[in-house]
Amino acid sequence: MADILGPMTGAGRYAPSPSGDLHFGNLRTAVIAWLFARHSGRDFLLRVEDIDVGRSSPESAQRQIDDLLTLGLTFDGEIVYQSARFDSYAAALNRLPVYECYCSRKDIQEASRAPHAIPGSYPGTCRSLDDAARTRRRADLAAQGRVPALRLRAETDSFTIHDYYRGAYTGEVDDFVLRRGGQEPGWAYNLAVVVDDGFQCVDQVVRGDDLLSSAPRQAYLASLLGLPVPEYAHVPLVLGSTGKRLAKRDGAVTLREMLVDHSVPEVVGRLAATLGYAGVDKLSQLLEVFDPEELSRDEVVWESI
Ligand code: GLU
């Protein structure tokens, strides 16, 4: 266990993917995660989720870190970079029941349209292939310069987590990918996040609502690895004017863009207002008044500041 489980202290974390500058929605989630951790006396850790080396860059990671510090967030311990943790993912994978999957995205889409299939979930096409079929399919892929993905052989089809705001939440668990295949194989987010939360002793995961449906898969994986399952709090994402999640198309949404015409206290003031604490413009002050029970759960729509 020593390879994946670090020293035992409770912690919260913020885990951005460094593929662009942090925007108002990212900052809001980071601030809420920080408030939850500090309010409950936990450490607060930063993890750079640069698992996808093609889409991440060290420059982007550094800009994100600088932005979080500019805003006034404080972190404990060393920053963990997923790109430096591939050996730990391999060690964890070795302890899990897995099978090779040769399906293309199109194969999966077609199979999941079959009657009784659960939309979006892997229908188990490659789960029970015999050795001869596996040898053939592996060779077919190799001829195209591709390698198979590795999927978890899940022994359940659902798992229940506890979410601070929703209570018990039961979600689907399928044979999800642990190692991506194709021409550029790589570690899957669901494996990395679980191994890293275990390694960093994270017992409180506060993040955007878009990841709620992944939490049961991740919690199930943690239980298979003998890691404690964290307490979750999923919070609403900030939406742009079109009703979709906030993005570049919505204007000057990044911290750097906002700071062209506004001060840090003005940005913090706007963040605090969306949490239900209008009039507060410092993070230290926000922490004094913060009560997770009172946090506004309303949908937040971006308005330029
Ligand atoms: N890296 C993910 C993101 O930026 C967040 C992962 C997590 O918080 O579990 O969306």
Side-chain angles (χ1 to χ4, degrees):
M1 285 311 296
D3 53 339
I4 43 178
L5 191 62
M8 292 305 291
T9 49
R13 46 67 157 188
Y14 183 57
S17 304
S19 55
D21 284 345
L22 296 172
H23 62 53
F24 189 79
N26 305 131
L27 298 172
R28 184 175 187 273
T29 304
V31 166
I32 299 173
W34 179 85
L35 288 168
F36 259 84
R38 296 295 185 220
H39 180 77
S40 58
R42 285 178 167 81
D43 282 352
F44 189 59
L45 310 175
L46 180 60
R47 181 166 74 237
V48 173
E49 298 215 316
D50 54 355
I51 192 172
D52 185 342
V53 282
R55 273 201 266 166
S56 328
S57 76
E59 296 73 33
S60 174
Q62 194 54 53
R63 285 168 71 92
Q64 292 188 340
I65 295 165
D66 292 345
D67 285 352
L68 295 166
L69 296 174
T70 299
L71 204 63
L73 292 175
T74 52
F75 296 97
D76 300 295
E78 288 191 8
I79 300 174
V80 164
Y81 289 79
Q82 289 190 326
S83 56
R85 300 218 357 103
F86 290 0
D87 289 352
S88 300
Y89 308 148
L93 186 81
N94 273 335
R95 299 156 43 120
L96 292 165
V98 297
Y99 64 87
E100 287 185 352
C101 170
Y102 315 95
C103 295
S104 65
R105 219 169 264 163
K106 192 161 152 244
D107 295 334
I108 298 172
Q109 266 165 14
E110 275 166 17
S112 65
R113 274 202 289 271
H116 313 302
I118 304 170
S121 78
Y122 183 66
T125 320
C126 295
R127 187 175 167 117
S128 317
L129 296 179
D130 61 24
D131 286 348
R134 288 194 182 281
T135 307
R136 202 173 54 243
R137 306 268 324 249
R138 204 179 295 133
D140 289 347
L141 278 191
Q144 304 162 28
R146 306 167 79 87
V147 297
L150 293 175
R151 288 184 179 273
L152 178 69
R153 190 177 288 278
E155 274 158 26
T156 184
D157 54 14
S158 69
F159 202 76
T160 302
I161 57 137
H162 188 265
D163 184 274
Y164 185 82
Y165 291 110
R166 285 163 212 260
Y169 170 84
T170 302
E172 199 216 328
V173 175
D174 62 351
D175 288 353
F176 54 97
V177 170
L178 300 178
R179 182 155 172 85
R180 289 183 287 106
Q183 275 168 330
E184 287 170 34
W187 296 106
Y189 155 72
N190 278 322
L191 175 67
V193 75
V194 169
V195 172
D196 291 343
D197 281 341
F199 172 71
Q200 293 187 282
C201 294
V202 168
D203 62 352
Q204 182 187 62
V205 170
V206 179
R207 60 187 180 184
D209 261 348
D210 56 328
L211 291 167
L212 176 66
S213 62
S214 301
R217 288 183 179 84
Q218 294 169 5
Y220 174 61
L221 193 55
S223 72
L224 290 183
L225 287 167
L227 296 168
V229 174
E231 165 80 8
Y232 295 92
H234 290 89
V235 298
L237 297 175
V238 176
L239 303 179
S241 49
T242 57
K244 294 208 181 105
R245 74 167 75 165
L246 191 65
K248 274 197 195 111
R249 60 175 173 262
D250 295 299
V253 293
T254 68
L255 181 64
R256 284 163 194 259
E257 288 165 337
M258 289 187 279
L259 290 181
V260 172
D261 291 321
H262 301 278
S263 64
V264 171
E266 281 173 325
V267 176
V268 172
R270 173 57 76 86
L271 285 167
T274 71
L275 303 178
Y277 299 99
V280 174
D281 65 2
K282 269 203 211 83
L283 288 184
S284 54
Q285 245 180 312
L286 188 55
L287 181 55
E288 278 167 32
V289 294
F290 175 70
D291 177 352
E293 292 291 331
E294 280 177 7
L295 182 77
S296 165
R297 303 275 303 131
D298 296 344
E299 191 174 79
V300 181
V301 179
W302 158 257
E303 285 165 51
S304 62
I305 78 170

